[in-house]
Amino acid sequence: MSTTDITMLIDTVKLEKMALAKRVGKFLVAEQVQEERATVENVARVLAQDVSAQVREVLAYELRKCKVLATDLAEKIAHDVESVSGAFLGETMVFTDKEWLKLIPGLKEPSLVVVARRKDLSDSVQAKLATVGQEPTVTSLVRNDNLTLAEVACDKVVDRFGDNRRMMDHLGARADLPLKVVERIINNVSDHCREMLIEHYAVDQGIASKMAEDSKIEVLWAQLKNASPTQIHAFVTDLRNDRRLNYLLVIEIAGRGCPSFMESSLALEAGLPLGRIREILSLEDPAAFVRLMQMANVSKSMAPRFLQLAKKFYGKTSNVTPIKKDEDSTKKNAVA
């Protein structure tokens, strides 16, 4: 027999096994009497050990819809390479929570990623994935919007990946976090994500003020507290150009007694002269303040905090004197 004949024979045998695997799978998905089912499951066990991954893939794909399957056969498929086990692990309903908890530690990372994308993971299974999975698995779990992420899983993610800014941003982007988790990660996320957290979860000033404990804020404040308005404006411009300027930072610095930081930030974001910003912050024209918030893209949840600062620094009882109109024209070019 020639090499070509042998190759054709092997291919033919493989195709026959793939067809058999398909028939076996469809048989086991349907309800059958126990005796017949046991016989066909034995055939499935042999196919699940076939040297050809394609044969095993067909079997696993068909068995993913089984409501009942022998534990040893199910575990055999689950521990196969991801190309075989992937479809099965993504849909099978044959494992109980207890069985998932036993199975997960023995799975390889690509298979864990598939499991982490399921929409029916219990709190305990989520926690197990967050405990044993590497970054790809935990990222898939955190980004899985088809389930509510359990607090125990969130805590495990923060415990393991709290210093991973990318992972914390993925976690912070979720809309179902317990407030305790928000409090834990608010200083571990990017500036943009921090603003999103505060807006979405309506974090109060007490929680947001934790930012003040960050050494980064302290260093910044040390540079600004004795700076002139011109120096502050230049500093804010640099922050904005480096994409490091955010409104939570603005509120923190302004609240410490540096309204010039707020003025410059709003002027740059809204594209208005500093003098006009000070006029608006005097609140003599409330409608102008609302328009300013819109022009500067200040969120509805952040705007009241700017209003409080405006009342504090620019109200009638404030020590801050609004800039005179004849000074406006001399400073427009410097701000623009």
Side-chain angles (χ1 to χ4, degrees), residues 11 29 39 49 66 71 94 111 127-128 134 145 151 159 176 179 190 192 194 199 205 209 239 247 270 290 298 301 324:
D11 289 344
V29 169
T39 299
Q49 299 180 68
C66 272
T71 301
V94 300
S111 296
K128 179 65 73 173
Q134 299 304 308
D145 294 329
E151 184 172 346
D159 289 343
D176 59 356
L179 187 57
S190 65
H192 173 69
R194 186 181 294 114
E199 179 174 358
Q205 183 64 35
S209 65
L239 285 175
Y247 284 136
V290 173
V298 177
S301 62
K324 296 179 181 178

Side-chain angles (χ1 to χ4, degrees), residues 176-209:
D176 59 356
L177 296 178
L179 187 57
K180 289 182 180 178
V181 176
V182 175
E183 293 178 23
R184 287 192 67 188
I185 70 173
I186 198 166
N187 285 324
N188 297 56
V189 298
S190 65
D191 292 343
H192 173 69
C193 187
R194 186 181 294 114
E195 286 192 31
M196 290 176 58
L197 280 172
I198 288 177
E199 179 174 358
H200 181 78
Y201 292 97
V203 179
D204 62 30
Q205 183 64 35
I207 296 173
S209 65

Side-chain angles (χ1 to χ4, degrees), residues 292-307:
L292 172 61
M293 295 296 98
Q294 294 171 343
M295 292 174 66
N297 294 315
V298 177
S299 67
K300 291 182 179 180
S301 62
M302 296 288 278
R305 296 168 70 179
F306 278 93
L307 181 60

Side-chain angles (χ1 to χ4, degrees), residues 113-307:
V113 169
V114 174
V115 176
R117 292 171 179 162
R118 291 177 61 104
K119 60 183 179 181
D120 60 348
L121 303 176
S122 68
D123 291 5
S124 59
V125 173
Q126 291 179 36
K128 179 65 73 173
L129 287 167
T131 300
V132 306
Q134 299 304 308
E135 186 171 346
T137 293
V138 179
T139 298
S140 295
L141 177 66
V142 167
R143 297 184 66 178
N144 186 346
D145 294 329
N146 293 315
L147 52 78
T148 298
L149 203 57
E151 184 172 346
V152 63
C154 292
D155 284 338
K156 182 57 65 174
V157 172
V158 180
D159 289 343
R160 295 185 62 204
F161 297 94
D163 294 332
N164 185 323
R165 178 65 58 83
R166 181 172 58 251
M167 183 71 77
M168 291 300 97
D169 276 3
H170 287 318
L171 186 60
R174 294 191 62 91
D176 59 356
L177 296 178
L179 187 57
K180 289 182 180 178
V181 176
V182 175
E183 293 178 23
R184 287 192 67 188
I185 70 173
I186 198 166
N187 285 324
N188 297 56
V189 298
S190 65
D191 292 343
H192 173 69
C193 187
R194 186 181 294 114
E195 286 192 31
M196 290 176 58
L197 280 172
I198 288 177
E199 179 174 358
H200 181 78
Y201 292 97
V203 179
D204 62 30
Q205 183 64 35
I207 296 173
S209 65
K210 287 185 177 182
M211 287 185 59
E213 299 169 10
D214 193 299
S215 59
K216 183 171 60 176
I217 302 295
E218 296 297 339
V219 171
L220 179 59
W221 175 242
Q223 293 176 285
L224 293 174
K225 62 182 179 180
N226 296 317
S228 68
T230 301
Q231 291 172 323
I232 290 172
H233 187 76
F235 197 92
V236 171
T237 301
D238 288 340
L239 285 175
R240 185 171 184 269
N241 290 340
D242 292 339
R243 297 185 178 182
R244 293 189 293 129
L245 183 66
N246 65 83
Y247 284 136
L248 189 59
L249 177 64
V250 173
I251 288 172
E252 280 290 337
I253 298 300
R256 289 185 172 216
C258 187
S260 296
F261 195 91
M262 176 173 63
E263 295 168 5
S264 294
S265 300
L266 292 173
L268 291 169
E269 293 295 337
L272 295 174
L274 276 171
R276 178 57 182 152
I277 295 297
R278 293 191 183 101
E279 286 181 350
I280 295 173
L281 292 177
S282 71
L283 302 178
E284 292 182 3
D285 183 355
F289 178 82
V290 173
R291 287 194 298 272
L292 172 61
M293 295 296 98
Q294 294 171 343
M295 292 174 66
N297 294 315
V298 177
S299 67
K300 291 182 179 180
S301 62
M302 296 288 278
R305 296 168 70 179
F306 278 93
L307 181 60

